[in-house]
Amino acid sequence: MEYNTPDRRPAQLAAFGRLLDVLDRLRAECPWDRKQTMQSLRHLTIEETYELADAILRDDLADVQKELGDVMLHLVFYAKIASEQGRFDVADVLNAQCDKLIHRHPHIYGDVTVQNEDDVKRNWEQLKLKEKGNDSVLGGVPVSLPALVKAMRIQEKARGAGFDWEEKAQVWAKVQEELAEFGAEFRDGDVVDPARASAEFGDLLFSLVNFARFAGINPEEALEQTNRKFIHRFRYLETEVARSGRRLADLSLAEMDEYWNAAKHLPNTGSEPNSAK
């Protein structure tokens, strides 16, 4: 089936209208749906968003489709609750989003000229700053973002304001500088000052995120891929040790490493020369 064609629009609009109709009925007749508030849905929405993110990382399009439906239901649900309170409805939400997209793409809907993606991002951040009335370009970074994601967003927004390194080599030199400063907090393998060591480690992570950005790597996704790789290999280790009738606690580190090295050669676990350990 051809999905990316104009003749799919009636079906898309009809499906969206069906979702609104189904939610209207559930809200009126189902005790659980009737009871929900924005506050009660919030943690469920976060969970659904992470499930969508997991499906994307797995490149499981069947699951992506399912999880998109769950997330879309939640978004419509919030608009439904707001409409019951007389604040806004889904039409207000979508029209406001369209207005924002048009306003922030003056190179498409206006007479602004851009040369590349960086110009687009820079215009976006400047327009966003004016719209929200923030006194800082960093004011739009959510406080509750996970630290690794927040570091990436902070750096992207600073770049949008023109505050950034000029060359990748400069960023790599900064990584080396921060690594040396972190290493200086240890003497004979022991931390000299825990507070200073923690601060230097934070600086090192921030510089690594910066370099990843210049290298076109998403640090959050890269770390999650390593997490999954480690989990996959460790589960293999556990399974094989149990199959041998022994316990992990009974094995030496050298024996564990034999299983770990075998796990590196399993299909779909990656062929990296270095272990994630």
Side-chain angles (χ1 to χ4, degrees), residues 106-227:
H107 55 291
I108 302 296
Y109 295 97
D111 55 5
V112 172
T113 300
V114 297
Q115 301 299 325
N116 50 43
E117 178 187 0
D118 285 341
D119 286 348
V120 174
K121 290 181 178 179
R122 191 175 300 110
N123 286 340
W124 179 283
E125 292 299 339
Q126 291 172 352
L127 289 167
K128 187 174 181 180
L129 190 62
K130 292 178 181 178
E131 290 169 11
K132 296 195 171 185
N134 291 328
D135 58 1
S136 169
V137 295
L138 304 181
V141 179
V143 175
S144 58
L145 272 181
L148 195 62
V149 178
K150 185 188 291 185
M152 186 79 166
R153 293 296 294 132
I154 288 171
Q155 293 167 9
E156 289 173 343
K157 286 186 174 293
R159 179 178 179 82
F163 184 77
D164 203 4
W165 299 93
E166 294 179 350
E167 299 178 5
K168 190 187 302 182
Q170 296 172 310
V171 189
W172 183 244
K174 184 63 175 176
V175 171
Q176 300 304 311
E177 175 188 327
E178 296 296 351
L179 180 60
E181 291 179 2
F182 176 60
E185 293 302 319
F186 295 83
R187 185 174 298 121
D188 297 327
D190 295 323
V191 176
V192 178
D193 183 331
R196 283 182 55 85
S198 178
E200 294 298 346
F201 184 65
D203 291 346
L204 174 59
L205 282 179
F206 194 84
S207 66
L208 282 170
V209 170
N210 222 346
F211 185 78
R213 180 172 57 86
F214 267 77
I217 297 170
N218 185 307
E220 175 73 17
E221 292 181 1
L223 181 58
E224 178 57 20
Q225 288 169 0
T226 295
N227 289 340

Side-chain angles (χ1 to χ4, degrees), residues 43-92:
H43 75 282
L44 298 175
T45 305
I46 294 172
E47 181 180 334
E48 295 294 354
T49 303
Y50 275 110
E51 290 180 1
L52 172 61
D54 286 346
I56 292 171
L57 283 176
R58 296 195 308 273
D59 197 24
D60 186 336
L61 290 184
D63 251 11
V64 169
Q65 177 185 336
K66 180 179 74 70
E67 300 302 343
L68 277 174
D70 291 340
V71 171
M72 198 165 294
L73 169 63
H74 280 242
L75 302 182
V76 170
F77 212 145
Y78 289 117
K80 173 66 176 175
I81 294 172
S83 71
E84 294 167 353
Q85 299 172 354
R87 305 299 296 272
F88 59 81
D89 67 4
V90 70
D92 296 322

Side-chain angles (χ1 to χ4, degrees), residues 23 27 45 50 123 161 178 184 190 235-236 257 264 271:
L23 183 58
R27 186 69 171 167
T45 305
Y50 275 110
N123 286 340
E178 296 296 351
D190 295 323
R235 284 178 175 169
Y236 170 84
D257 273 340
K264 287 198 260 184
S271 56

Side-chain angles (χ1 to χ4, degrees), residues 255-268:
E255 289 174 315
M256 289 185 189
D257 273 340
E258 290 182 13
Y259 287 105
W260 186 268
N261 290 328
K264 287 198 260 184
H265 300 291
L266 294 174
N268 301 321

